[in-house]
């Protein structure tokens, strides 16, 4: 998905879940596409409020993997995770994402997971460099929502 497709899928999900946009937050590749760190992403990792996660989890199975947060496979392009309310957010063109600083922490964590595939680890390390630059730049601002 390119940036326009990410925005479109995000807005459709917000509407489908009937949630406020700041309660539907992109992380991982989707957030990086919105920040301009990546051109494309294969899927969207979306964090939602715990109550909504549990509600969706009534009809869709929860998936547990080693070293990765619990998730729900919402459809072939969207995985749902539990939203951390203590995490910094940024709104970019109407799409709520974790802030560059939070994404940097996420990428550093992912790069150090023992079962992370080598190709993904290399991409993580390159994206860490971009995110470190973004964190130092005044281009993006973040706030707690």
């Amino acid at each position: 998905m390119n940036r326009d497709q990410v925005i479109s899928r995000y807005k459709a999900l917000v509407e489908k879940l009937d949630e406020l946009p700041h309660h539907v937050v992109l992380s991982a590749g989707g957030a990086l596409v919105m920040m301009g760190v990546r051109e494309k992403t294969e899927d969207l990792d979306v964090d939602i409020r715990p109550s909504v996660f549990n509600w969706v989890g009534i009809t869709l199975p929860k998936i547990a993997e080693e070293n990765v947060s619990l998730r729900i496979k919402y459809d072939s392009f969207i995985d749902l995770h539990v939203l951390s309310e203590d995490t910094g957010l940024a709104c970019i063109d109407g799409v709520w994402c974790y802030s560059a600083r939070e994404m940097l922490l996420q990428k550093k964590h992912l790069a150090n997971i023992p079962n992370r595939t080598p190709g993904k680890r290399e991409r993580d390390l390159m994206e860490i460099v971009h995110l470190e630059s973004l964190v130092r730049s005044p281009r993006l601002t973040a706030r707690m929502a």
Side-chain angles (χ1 to χ4, degrees):
M1 280 180 263
N2 64 25
R3 193 172 197 278
D4 290 339
Q5 292 166 322
V6 167
I7 292 170
S8 177
R9 293 299 302 254
Y10 171 83
K11 289 181 177 181
L13 180 63
V14 168
E15 187 174 316
K16 181 89 171 168
L17 293 174
D18 194 26
E19 280 291 287
L20 295 171
H22 68 277
H23 290 154
V24 180
V25 179
L26 293 184
S27 69
L32 296 176
V33 168
M34 294 305 300
M35 292 177 192
V37 173
R38 275 192 201 176
E39 291 292 319
K40 293 182 178 182
T41 186
E42 296 300 316
D43 60 2
L44 297 179
D45 287 281
V46 183
D47 290 12
I48 56 177
R49 293 181 304 140
S51 60
V52 178
F53 183 85
N54 290 330
W55 175 73
V56 173
I58 292 171
T59 57
L60 297 173
K62 295 175 182 169
I63 301 166
E65 292 180 78
E66 187 178 355
N67 298 315
V68 181
S69 66
L70 190 63
R71 67 183 168 94
I72 295 172
K73 189 77 172 165
Y74 185 74
D75 66 24
S76 57
F77 297 105
I78 298 174
D79 285 342
L80 301 176
H81 304 264
V82 175
L83 176 66
S84 169
E85 295 186 20
D86 296 327
T87 306
L89 304 177
C91 185
I92 305 168
D93 293 333
V95 175
W96 286 85
C97 308
Y98 285 117
S99 69
R101 181 173 305 284
E102 296 296 343
M103 289 305 305
L104 177 59
L105 294 173
Q106 183 185 72
K107 279 296 177 176
K108 285 181 176 181
H109 169 74
L110 291 172
N112 288 308
I113 290 177
N115 58 333
R116 189 78 165 158
T117 60
K120 286 188 175 186
R121 180 173 287 114
E122 291 168 3
R123 183 179 65 195
D124 292 338
L125 295 173
M126 289 188 300
E127 290 170 346
I128 286 169
V129 171
H130 288 277
L131 287 164
E132 287 174 336
S133 176
L134 271 180
V135 167
R136 290 189 302 269
S137 132
R139 194 185 109 193
L140 293 178
T141 59
R143 71 177 191 93
M144 291 296 288

